[in-house]
Amino acid sequence: MHSWTDTLRFAFQPVVNLTTGAVTGLEILARPETGDILAEARRDPELDSRLAVSALRAAVRKETLLPLFVNAFAGTLADLGGLPSLHDAVREAGRLPWEVTIDICPPYTHVPQRALLEAVSRLRGQGFRICADGVGDGDAPLRLLSDITPELVKLDASLLARPAVVRSMRTLCDELGALLAVEGVETEGQCAVALAAGAQLAQGELFAPPARLPAADVYVPPRSPADVAVPRSGPSVREFVRPAALLPATASAAQVRALLTGSPDVSGVLLVDTAGVPVRSVHRSRFLLSMSGRYGHALYADRPAAKLGDSPRTVGIDATAWEVLDVVAVGGRDRTSDDVAVVDEYGRCVGVVRLADLVRALAETRVEEAAGLNPLTRLPGSDVITGEVNRWIASGRAFALSWLDVDHFKQVNDGAGFAAGDELIRAVGRALQQTAMDGTRVGHIGGDDFLVLAEPEGLDPLAASLLDAPWSAGGRPVTLSLATVLCAPGSVTDHRQAAACLAPLKKAAKALHGASWVLGRAGTPGHETRRGGETTPAAARCGAS
């Protein structure tokens, strides 16, 4: 009599970091030669649990060092209270639980949520990481997703046709402290959309199809610096995490040497204690140099590898790339090429970052920022502001988008000269930067036009400092016009709709005499005149149907 294991094989598909191009882990996929074992496993929690154990053992036989993604149905976790047999199998295989991510798969309908959350908590306590799989193509309630607080969320590639949804999910993931992945990516166009929408990881046929052997190389399309929006504080270290080569703190030098010589792409080994906390860092070149010297093998082979290591350099998972550079800058120059260990809230190693990845990304960021700055004011252009507007919309924040310009600027240039006009524009730009509250974004979109994205409560002091100031160019008095649209959460869908609401308000502000300020609300007809006097009939209708 044949067992179901006789006709079951497993395939491995890489999960790719879109920033570094590195493989961050392998998802293990069941591939039955006959029957539908997955349909049976969905109905039978014990079978699903045995499948997870079999998947892990299949990966161990391939001797891969990469982190693993093991699938389990939500109903299985709720019914069994976790995956106790998988935890035992991980330990028996010599792997660490935090090298394994549990992909929780739908359906969630009829799954007791309290039991599921208790199971997730138990898995976390054992050290496993949690991924919410099939989001957007399944039935995962957003409230449950928030309660699970996964380390990773996987979206179905079908959502790439709705980039605003992907951007919203990235915002949610940032709030949850999770990474965002897209699975099923098949084309370079889909990859570009995923990047632009904020996805950090991806998998699919484009990079590498599922295969019986773990992929050594994957294809990642060339990335343009403009593809990814980077926060002003610097990119998160989460974007650059690579898998770490881990060995127990008690490992011998011979064990480390065997790992390094068998894995030429590993730049170093972290020795961790029983809780997964890094205690020593072994740099590839320095270690192998010591071992290859005269009598090196005889002296060190049977001794603890920790003797040839250094104190690990660590950063938290919430650190920025700039903070990693601060860590690298401390200490001897001979350690600038060392990997930096990234640790979670418990101090456990979740991976490493390499200096080369950070320098490359930060250099691209600076080049992109410099290319987008207005040469006159050194303020960013409209692309930066509109991208930020989209992020605020996706996060559900209320905001005020304002347009500011100099009244009759052509006459200023004609009468006072372009040098005086340029100096006036620079002065307005400086005033905007100086009076802007924390979080306010200021952009110079060309000529005498400025865009300001701010919290609504910051409007009055901003308007007062700009409109009450005595402006002049070449001794000629000058006034400014300000138009603002207030956007409540859900009132606009993207920056284009916000700009459409702002357009009639700009016209209304220009129709007023002297320094003027017109304010409207997205979705509401008409406007409020806060400064200036009417000179011509003006009416604005913003987003009303």
Side-chain angles (χ1 to χ4, degrees):
M1 180 176 179
H2 292 290
S3 166
W4 58 267
T5 57
D6 296 334
T7 60
L8 182 65
R9 300 293 182 267
F10 291 93
F12 304 90
Q13 186 168 47
V15 179
V16 177
N17 184 313
L18 293 176
T19 300
T20 66
V23 177
T24 65
L26 296 171
E27 181 174 357
I28 314 169
L29 304 167
R31 290 291 186 264
E33 294 181 359
T34 59
D36 191 351
I37 190 88
L38 294 180
E40 295 179 42
R42 189 162 52 242
R43 297 187 294 267
D44 184 346
E46 292 292 346
L47 174 58
D48 193 29
S49 178
R50 294 200 298 273
L51 271 179
V53 171
S54 297
L56 172 82
R57 289 174 176 162
V60 170
R61 287 194 294 270
K62 303 301 181 183
E63 299 183 345
T64 176
L65 295 175
L66 288 167
L68 305 173
F69 291 80
V70 176
N71 292 292
F73 289 108
T76 295
L77 301 183
D79 285 349
L80 301 182
L83 293 170
S85 56
L86 180 64
H87 183 259
D88 295 340
V90 168
R91 289 298 189 182
E92 291 169 5
R95 297 298 295 259
L96 300 170
W98 41 92
E99 296 179 277
V100 179
T101 298
I102 308 298
D103 279 12
I104 305 179
C105 303
Y108 291 88
T109 303
H110 306 308
V111 173
Q113 293 192 8
R114 180 182 294 275
L116 175 59
L117 293 176
E118 290 175 353
V120 168
S121 177
R122 188 168 294 112
L123 288 167
R124 275 214 178 88
Q126 294 171 335
F128 291 110
R129 304 193 184 282
I130 303 299
C131 168
D133 200 358
V135 175
D137 192 41
D139 59 346
L142 285 179
R143 179 177 176 179
L144 178 61
L145 189 64
S146 177
D147 290 341
I148 290 175
T149 60
E151 282 77 23
L152 178 65
V153 172
K154 287 185 178 180
L155 298 183
D156 186 81
S158 62
L159 287 183
L160 294 176
R162 301 171 178 84
V165 176
V166 182
R167 288 194 296 270
S168 298
M169 288 304 304
R170 169 60 191 271
T171 300
L172 176 60
C173 285
D174 288 344
E175 292 290 330
L176 297 176
L179 291 175
L180 179 64
V182 177
E183 52 187 353
V185 176
E186 298 181 350
T187 67
E188 292 192 8
Q190 286 182 318
C191 182
V193 172
L195 267 169
Q200 296 138 315
L201 307 177
Q203 62 187 111
E205 296 279 342
L206 174 67
F207 311 103
R212 293 291 174 85
L213 294 176
D217 298 301
V218 295
Y219 170 74
V220 180
R223 185 172 70 99
S224 164
D227 285 340
V228 184
V230 179
R232 296 180 76 187
S233 58
S236 168
V237 72
R238 296 172 187 269
E239 307 277 353
F240 306 95
V241 174
R242 291 175 176 263
L246 305 177
L247 283 177
T250 55
S252 68
Q255 289 175 291
V256 172
R257 184 176 184 275
L259 189 157
L260 291 175
T261 54
S263 307
D265 57 328
V266 172
S267 56
V269 176
L270 288 173
L271 305 179
V272 298
D273 64 16
T274 55
V277 177
V279 294
R280 299 294 281 176
S281 173
V282 180
H283 184 267
R284 180 187 188 90
S285 298
R286 293 197 299 274
F287 174 84
L288 292 179
L289 185 62
S290 297
M291 290 290 287
S292 62
R294 191 176 185 184
Y295 308 122
H297 190 272
L299 286 172
Y300 298 117
D302 296 326
R303 299 183 65 187
K307 297 285 186 181
L308 295 175
D310 301 286
S311 297
R313 291 173 163 177
T314 62
V315 295
I317 191 65
D318 294 321
T320 67
W322 294 111
E323 291 171 316
V324 178
L325 292 185
D326 289 340
V327 171
V328 173
V330 176
R333 292 184 178 180
D334 61 327
R335 296 198 62 191
T336 55
S337 62
D338 287 18
D339 293 342
V340 176
V342 181
V343 297
D344 63 13
E345 58 184 310
Y346 304 107
R348 300 178 305 201
C349 181
V350 301
V352 295
V353 290
R354 295 180 180 175
L355 180 61
D357 290 337
L358 299 182
V359 171
R360 185 182 307 113
L362 293 174
E364 290 175 350
T365 301
R366 288 293 178 256
V367 169
E368 180 187 357
E369 288 179 353
L373 296 180
N374 187 287
L376 188 61
T377 59
R378 307 303 295 168
L379 288 172
S382 60
D383 287 348
V384 172
I385 304 301
T386 55
E388 195 71 15
V389 169
N390 284 337
R391 284 187 285 278
W392 285 34
I393 292 171
S395 66
R397 295 173 64 180
F399 64 90
L401 184 62
S402 299
W403 166 86
L404 176 78
D405 84 336
V406 178
D407 293 328
H408 312 296
F409 184 63
K410 185 177 184 304
Q411 296 178 19
V412 172
N413 270 342
D414 291 345
F418 70 87
D422 286 351
E423 181 53 41
L424 174 63
I425 295 302
R426 281 192 287 266
V428 172
R430 286 194 297 269
L432 278 169
Q433 289 178 294
Q434 292 167 1
T435 59
M437 298 174 62
D438 289 343
T440 298
R441 301 302 306 270
V442 178
H444 183 187
I445 60 176
D448 62 325
D449 294 317
F450 295 86
L451 274 179
V452 182
L453 173 64
E455 300 279 359
E457 54 268 24
L459 284 176
D460 286 325
L462 180 70
S465 63
L466 289 167
L467 301 181
D468 292 345
W471 298 99
S472 65
R476 299 166 178 264
V478 173
T479 58
L480 306 180
S481 293
L482 180 66
T484 300
V485 59
L486 293 177
C487 298
S491 61
V492 291
T493 57
D494 59 19
H495 73 272
R496 295 179 181 84
Q497 191 172 0
C501 290
L502 188 56
L505 301 175
K506 291 160 52 177
K507 183 177 180 181
K510 297 300 289 183
L512 299 174
H513 177 71
S516 60
W517 181 19
V518 165
L519 184 144
R521 289 171 172 78
T524 302
H527 64 270
E528 174 187 350
T529 300
R530 294 207 167 182
R531 296 287 182 91
E534 294 278 1
T535 59
T536 60
R541 183 179 180 83
C542 177
S545 56

